[in-house]
Amino acid sequence: MTVKLPKWRAFDGPLTEQLLREPGSFGLGQVPVHMKPDATTTSVCGYCSTGCALNIHLKEGEAVNLTPEAAYPVNLGMACPKGWEALEPLGASDRAMTPMYRASREAPLEPISWSEAARIFCDRMRETLGNHGEESAAFLSTGQICTEEMALLGSFAKFGMGVRHGDGNTRQCMATSVVAYKQAFGFDAPPYTYADFEESDVIVLIGSNLCIAHPIMWQRVLQNKRSPEIIVIDPRTTETAAQATSHLPLRPKSDLTLFYGLAHLIIREGWVDQAYVDAHTTGFESFATHVKPFDPETVAVVSGLSEEVIFQLAKSIGTKERVSFWWTMGVNQSYEATRTAQAIINLALMTGNVGRPGTGANSITGQCNAMGSRLFSNTTNLLGGHDFANPEHREKVARTLGIDPARIPDGPSKAYDQIIDGIETGDTRALWMIATNGVHSWGNRERMRTLMAKLDFLVVQDMYTSTDSAQMADLLLPAAGWGEKEGTFINSERRVGVTKKVKRAPGQALADFHIFRYLAKTWGCGDWIDHWESPEAAFTILKELSREQPCDITGIGSYHDIDDAGGRQWPCLKGELDFEQPERRLFADGQFYTEDKRAKFLFDEVQANPESTSESFPLTLLTGRGTSAQWHTQTRTEKSGVLCRLYPEDAYVEMHPSDAEVYGLKVNASVRVRSRHGEVAVRLVVTPTVGRGQLFMPMHYVETNRLTNPTVDPHSRQPSYKACAVAIAT
Ligand SMILES: Nc1nc2c(c(=O)[nH]1)N[C@H]1C(S)=C(S)[C@@H](COP(=O)(O)OP(=O)(O)OC[C@H]3O[C@@H](n4cnc5c(=O)[nH]c(N)nc54)[C@H](O)[C@@H]3O)O[C@H]1N2
Ligand SMILES: Nc1nc2c(c(=O)[nH]1)N[C@H]1C(S)=C(S)[C@@H](COP(=O)(O)OP(=O)(O)OC[C@H]3O[C@@H](n4cnc5c(=O)[nH]c(N)nc54)[C@H](O)[C@@H]3O)O[C@H]1N2
Ligand code: SF4
Ligand SMILES: [Mo]
């Protein structure tokens, strides 16, 4: 289906006029009043969670160019290709410029005014909720909008509209780390600072392709002056593995066995930091019993690594002074992800590698504001890292927001997969997707498309009209993108940074913040929503919500203060904004956020892969990031001519040369890859970077998730995208 090009229409209605007057809201409005027209301002990048600061150079109030900021403690003057090209996607010809609506599925999307869009949104959502109850409408949000926007969305949807369920694309990404940390440390608290990359003696990267996914973090690794051992645990010889001091190409999904095996050896060899374990942890004795059967012989068979390699790794972890563990999607996207992440945490705890420079059990997060969504999206956690099930927390949040505590649900939302499955059963009838392209990024794409078409009402809020999800929308709400709005992001090391409006959004596209506000006003939520009048006013509310939580940022000051400080990590209490030291790590005092202040050893039986290989599907397909120039479903990166030259245009699958020979497949041949869920035709790339019996496809191409299936981890409900059984043929 093609989308009709929007016609220009006049703004209408008193509310839109009011919004139009607000600084930093409508695209057609002025650039922010506080910025000089020909100045340079700093803004945190809107792609990955590294959180680099970019200097944006303005001419007559509009961004014309950018350069990385040298004084920012994150990127120290560096940026990756996406950062350098960050302004390009804003000028694309498929930008959504007016709201669009189709009265029936057969009809094309037609431009409508904002006041019509808001009325349709409110009428149809009210109708659904009225006829089918509070569980019948849901939202799916993101880690790629500002914290203030997420919090306003979560507050409006849950406390204003009375929607019970909302989740984020962060479920696909970070849910595992969230649960792993919460259970082990008592709060979702990645403990590190990037300086730890520079301070380690041993850097263990697990299922993490830093060179491609977090290139500037990799630059920080390279700045380490301690001649560190860099150990990469990844089935593929990734760009990172190729540069490491050692690469352990374990069998996909054998991580848990390997980590229990390492714990076994560390105990056997007497390398446990018993003083640390005794003073700061619980559950070690049972864990030690649990890992007894994981002897090196058994672990070698399961992981495909030699006993010698496993022993050397255990020795490095057990004997070196400063060991840091870093994990990303190779761990998080698994059917037993939470226990795998906790097995990493256990290794750090038992060797006392916590709270000191160059140590830590460190989950690297993905999107620019995944960390903001973990604390403030009001999905899994109640705003500010609070607990929906805790009446005192509900009372505190209600008081801070000025709402009736009865408006706050007493439990968390359904998870992403449950919201989607609910469409099949008729429980989910209306869905609002914000800044996520789930029709491409969620597994088993054909089923996803069928389910989207089954909804009574699909609202998509995006920058572009052409995304897979926008194309299926009944109502499309045009959003301003990064650079066209302001607010805060929280990066991987818990650093709050400010992103700015440096360009006018095209047409009538609005910052998500103002879309939420406008819808909330139209809905008639009550006076409390008036306090959320601007992103910075909302930030004041967020600070108050964080009070006395581990993520307390009551002392962080204004946007201006944060900018001056080069961003600030949480916690940041009164007086801490002016710390001499620009970075900090958690748990230096050995005190965790659990009730007894001790970290917990958590473990489980090793499970079989539910998507296992068979005679019909003999190969294991791994998926992940392809190049540093591609971002997810590519709606943004495909808009930069420079970036497009840095990656292959069409989908491809990578295969080991020996396998290609066995299958009689030639380089560049068109091959069909088939899984239990779908079949695709792609180009064959023959490369020894993938192991025998394995294939790799980047997630950036729509073909990949036609094959995968979102089987989820039982604790985090994060999908297992990284190992799917497939067959290949010409
Ligand atoms: N250029 C670019 N950068 C990005 C993104 C992007 O789209 N493009 N996305 C951002 C986001 S949201 C995220 S979450 C991060 C993701 O960052 P990463 O997690 O580093 O990237 P992935 O390529 O998804 O997966 C990492 C590695 O896991 C490995 N792996 C697969 N199965 C297993 C296994 O069983 N065990 C182990 N140990 N490893 C396994 C894969 O081979 C892969 O190399 O990147 C962020 N940065
Ligand atoms: N097979 C497989 N699948 C995967 C993964 C994998 O490794 N393998 N990785 C998973 C992971 S870790 C992630 S994080 C997801 C990512 O999946 P998605 O989040 O669905 O991917 P994006 O392409 O980033 O989608 C973001 C959408 O928001 C729009 N957008 C950008 N900025 C804004 C804004 O400011 N406001 C609004 N309203 N819209 C905006 C973009 O145009 C785009 O359509 O994919 C997951 N899917
Ligand atoms: S590393 Fe991440 S934050 Fe830094 S410039 Fe690249 S995409 Fe932006
Ligand atoms: Mo992610």
Side-chain angles (χ1 to χ4, degrees), residues 414-470:
K414 276 186 188 169
Y416 197 128
D417 65 302
Q418 296 165 318
I419 291 173
I420 297 300
D421 288 353
I423 306 175
E424 196 150 57
T425 54
D427 296 325
T428 310
R429 289 170 173 267
L431 187 63
W432 179 16
M433 294 178 90
I434 304 103
T436 184
N437 187 11
V439 176
H440 173 144
S441 58
W442 188 253
N444 201 346
R445 176 171 190 270
E446 293 320 307
R447 174 172 182 258
M448 186 73 167
R449 280 180 63 83
T450 309
L451 292 180
M452 290 290 135
K454 192 171 177 247
L455 284 164
D456 293 344
F457 187 42
L458 174 62
V459 184
V460 174
Q461 185 166 318
D462 204 287
M463 292 167 66
Y464 304 105
T465 56
S466 61
T467 75
D468 276 16
S469 306

Side-chain angles (χ1 to χ4, degrees), residues 144 169 436-437 441 462 485 512 623 632-633 635 705 722:
Q144 296 179 63
N169 63 2
T436 184
N437 187 11
S441 58
D462 204 287
K485 56 182 181 176
D512 293 288
T623 68
H632 296 164
T633 72
T635 66
N705 279 332
K722 293 270 189 272

Side-chain angles (χ1 to χ4, degrees), residues 169-170 172-174 329 333 365-367 370 625 631-632 699:
N169 63 2
T170 37
Q172 313 186 61
C173 183
M174 286 305 143
M329 290 307 114
Q333 292 172 342
T365 204
Q367 305 164 76
R625 275 73 198 155
W631 182 257
H632 296 164
M699 56 140 334

Side-chain angles (χ1 to χ4, degrees), residues 41 45 140 338 457 470 590:
T41 187
C45 176
L140 286 176
T338 303
F457 187 42

Side-chain angles (χ1 to χ4, degrees), residues 572-593:
C572 187
L573 305 174
K574 201 159 184 283
E576 289 185 343
L577 186 68
D578 304 321
F579 267 177
E580 282 289 300
Q581 189 166 333
E583 84 276 329
R584 57 153 57 166
R585 64 189 60 79
L586 301 176
F587 312 131
D589 56 0
Q591 302 288 294
F592 293 87
Y593 302 119

Side-chain angles (χ1 to χ4, degrees), residues 69-184:
E69 165 61 39
Y72 203 66
V74 168
N75 51 316
L76 317 174
M78 299 175 280
C80 84
K82 294 184 298 303
W84 280 102
E85 285 293 289
L87 292 167
E88 289 306 301
L90 301 179
S93 59
D94 62 343
R95 284 297 300 268
M97 298 213 270
T98 88
M100 299 181 102
Y101 181 61
R102 68 173 119 229
S104 75
R105 276 285 146 75
E106 294 69 42
L109 281 169
E110 298 274 5
I112 55 171
S113 69
W114 267 111
S115 57
E116 281 172 286
R119 186 182 46 74
I120 291 167
F121 178 93
C122 294
D123 286 354
R124 293 199 61 177
M125 285 291 185
R126 270 215 165 88
E127 191 186 321
T128 305
L129 292 165
N131 291 341
H132 305 286
E134 59 174 15
E135 309 220 17
S136 60
F139 66 91
L140 286 176
S141 177
T142 183
Q144 296 179 63
I145 57 177
C146 303
T147 319
E148 296 78 355
E149 299 179 325
M150 294 167 174
L152 176 53
L153 166 64
S155 304
F156 163 50
K158 289 201 170 173
F159 314 146
M161 294 169 71
V163 164
R164 174 92 192 192
H165 301 300
D167 201 7
N169 63 2
T170 37
R171 179 71 63 176
Q172 313 186 61
C173 183
M174 286 305 143
T176 291
S177 299
V178 173
V179 178
Y181 279 137
K182 265 185 166 175
Q183 291 181 347

Side-chain angles (χ1 to χ4, degrees), residues 175-491:
T176 291
S177 299
V178 173
V179 178
Y181 279 137
K182 265 185 166 175
Q183 291 181 347
F185 294 166
F187 196 76
D188 174 20
Y192 59 95
T193 158
Y194 295 155
D196 289 320
F197 283 123
E198 295 166 10
E199 308 252 1
S200 288
D201 298 321
V202 182
I203 297 172
V204 189
L205 291 161
I206 307 148
S208 173
N209 189 4
L210 224 53
C211 291
I212 294 299
H214 301 94
I216 302 306
M217 291 193 205
W218 178 250
Q219 294 303 317
R220 298 292 298 265
V221 170
L222 296 182
Q223 301 208 9
N224 186 315
K225 305 236 166 23
R226 302 171 69 92
S227 306
E229 258 188 87
I230 304 171
I231 299 164
V232 170
I233 302 178
D234 193 311
R236 297 189 304 134
T237 313
T238 59
E239 294 75 357
T240 316
Q243 297 188 58
T245 48
S246 54
H247 171 215
L248 276 59
L250 83 176
R251 287 215 176 87
K253 302 291 153 277
S254 61
D255 304 65
L256 190 55
T257 302
L258 173 64
F259 300 145
Y260 289 160
L262 293 171
H264 173 109
L265 279 171
I266 289 167
I267 295 168
R268 193 187 82 184
E269 298 298 318
W271 293 326
V272 174
D273 183 341
Q274 201 60 46
Y276 190 88
V277 168
D278 292 345
H280 303 299
T281 71
T282 53
F284 178 68
E285 291 307 315
S286 342
F287 178 60
T289 310
H290 178 76
V291 299
K292 273 211 176 100
F294 292 84
D295 55 79
E297 302 77 36
T298 312
V299 176
V301 171
V302 175
S303 66
L305 302 170
S306 74
E307 286 180 44
E308 173 58 21
V309 160
I310 298 168
F311 182 82
Q312 285 308 326
L313 176 57
K315 189 173 175 193
S316 294
I317 295 172
T319 60
K320 291 284 175 67
E321 180 62 23
R322 299 172 174 191
V323 183
S324 58
F325 302 84
W326 309 82
W327 80 85
T328 322
M329 290 307 114
V331 171
N332 280 4
Q333 292 172 342
S334 156
Y335 53 89
E336 55 183 358
T338 303
R339 292 297 181 245
T340 308
Q342 287 166 341
I344 300 170
I345 293 174
N346 294 349
L347 289 172
L349 291 173
M350 70 194 288
T351 54
N353 277 301
V354 180
R356 290 182 291 112
T359 66
N362 306 330
S363 149
I364 302 172
T365 204
Q367 305 164 76
C368 52
N369 201 20
M371 289 288 288
S373 86
R374 285 157 74 158
L375 293 176
F376 288 106
S377 66
N378 214 26
T379 54
T380 315
N381 291 319
L382 179 58
L383 297 168
H386 289 95
D387 183 358
F388 279 102
N390 181 329
E392 278 169 31
H393 284 188
R394 293 201 298 274
E395 182 67 40
K396 173 183 166 190
V397 170
R399 205 177 336 110
T400 312
L401 297 187
I403 62 170
D404 179 354
R407 303 272 331 153
I408 303 185
D410 58 5
S413 299
K414 276 186 188 169
Y416 197 128
D417 65 302
Q418 296 165 318
I419 291 173
I420 297 300
D421 288 353
I423 306 175
E424 196 150 57
T425 54
D427 296 325
T428 310
R429 289 170 173 267
L431 187 63
W432 179 16
M433 294 178 90
I434 304 103
T436 184
N437 187 11
V439 176
H440 173 144
S441 58
W442 188 253
N444 201 346
R445 176 171 190 270
E446 293 320 307
R447 174 172 182 258
M448 186 73 167
R449 280 180 63 83
T450 309
L451 292 180
M452 290 290 135
K454 192 171 177 247
L455 284 164
D456 293 344
F457 187 42
L458 174 62
V459 184
V460 174
Q461 185 166 318
D462 204 287
M463 292 167 66
Y464 304 105
T465 56
S466 61
T467 75
D468 276 16
S469 306
Q471 293 271 313
M472 298 201 73
D474 298 303
L475 178 64
L476 175 60
L477 301 175
W482 173 88
E484 296 167 344
K485 56 182 181 176
E486 66 177 359
T488 56
F489 293 153
I490 308 179
N491 79 355

